[in-house]
Amino acid sequence: MEQESILKDISVTGCRVECTSLADINVNSTYTLEVIPEASSKIGRFDLNVKVVWISMAGYSGDVGFAITASPKGKLFQRYVDYLSWKGSHS
């Protein structure tokens, strides 16, 4: 399944993603998410292996909660979580 979604929240254990189509997403299924950080973070794109833990639908779209099961490029992932934490505390 390939679709563009918006990362709404992320931590070292999980994330919430807003999706425009939830037709092919199922609870307890595993996926690979490609995260493309905003340019201002100066962090390259990275993948996360995730498992769906909840789905909140609103018509054909909604939010999906994922548990992060692995991060092949863990340093980029950790840098991004740290960056978002820093950015949130300086807003």
Side-chain angles (χ1 to χ4, degrees), residues 33-91:
L33 295 180
E34 179 184 31
V35 179
I36 305 170
E38 61 270 22
S40 61
S41 72
K42 297 185 176 149
I43 298 170
R45 61 180 64 195
F46 58 91
D47 292 339
L48 296 174
N49 298 336
V50 296
K51 181 177 181 180
V52 178
V53 292
W54 59 265
I55 299 172
S56 176
M57 295 181 66
Y60 291 103
S61 63
D63 290 348
V64 180
F66 294 98
I68 297 170
T69 58
S71 176
K73 293 186 178 180
K75 288 184 181 184
L76 290 177
F77 168 52
Q78 185 61 54
R79 282 182 52 209
Y80 191 52
V81 170
D82 291 344
Y83 166 78
L84 292 175
S85 177
W86 173 84
K87 183 179 173 184
S89 67
H90 289 84
S91 308

Side-chain angles (χ1 to χ4, degrees), residues 6-11 14-18 54 63-66:
I6 299 172
L7 183 64
K8 300 299 267 185
D9 189 22
I10 190 167
S11 72
C15 62
R16 178 172 60 102
V17 174
E18 181 181 307
W54 59 265
D63 290 348
V64 180
F66 294 98

